[in-house]
Amino acid sequence: MVAARKNRTAVVGVIQAVRDQGPDLVELDVAVQSTAPVEGQPDLLTAHQPADRPWTVRARRSELPPGDLVGWRVTGEATLAGPDVVRLVTTEPAPLLSPPES
């Protein structure tokens, strides 16, 4: 087994879909609007994720706002946690999730 390399990418996007994957795990389809490197961490996502379709990002449901998150804007950091596994960083710094404007 290969250990995951520490990495972080700043991500801004809009959640397009939420799928339950377990008792406290969800997959978010995020239409990414921008990415940027995080100081001191390699960016393993920007060049290796599709630019023309949403990214599938995993997160703990208990660390996200309650209710339907479709349309919410997410500003935070993501990490490549394993082969084809992108995880939303929900610890420091916590992501900012904003509901859609009415």
Side-chain angles (χ1 to χ4, degrees):
M1 185 157 107
V2 177
R5 180 176 161 195
K6 286 185 101 177
N7 66 94
R8 292 273 178 104
T9 303
V11 177
V12 176
V14 176
I15 298 170
Q16 294 189 324
V18 180
R19 290 180 300 282
D20 289 326
Q21 295 296 306
D24 191 35
L25 181 66
V26 293
E27 284 186 344
L28 309 171
D29 285 347
V30 178
V32 174
Q33 298 169 329
S34 67
T35 64
V38 172
E39 186 176 340
Q41 297 280 338
D43 175 0
L44 300 182
L45 293 174
T46 300
H48 298 89
Q49 293 296 312
D52 60 342
R53 65 180 193 268
W55 292 10
T56 299
V57 179
R58 292 184 177 185
R60 290 183 181 199
R61 183 64 185 152
S62 61
E63 295 175 340
L64 300 173
D68 184 8
L69 299 177
V70 172
W72 283 52
R73 181 177 181 84
V74 59
T75 302
E77 295 180 2
T79 183
L80 183 61
D84 299 320
V85 178
V86 178
R87 185 176 53 81
L88 181 66
V89 176
T90 52
T91 56
E92 291 298 322
L96 174 63
L97 285 101
S98 309
E101 295 178 8
S102 327

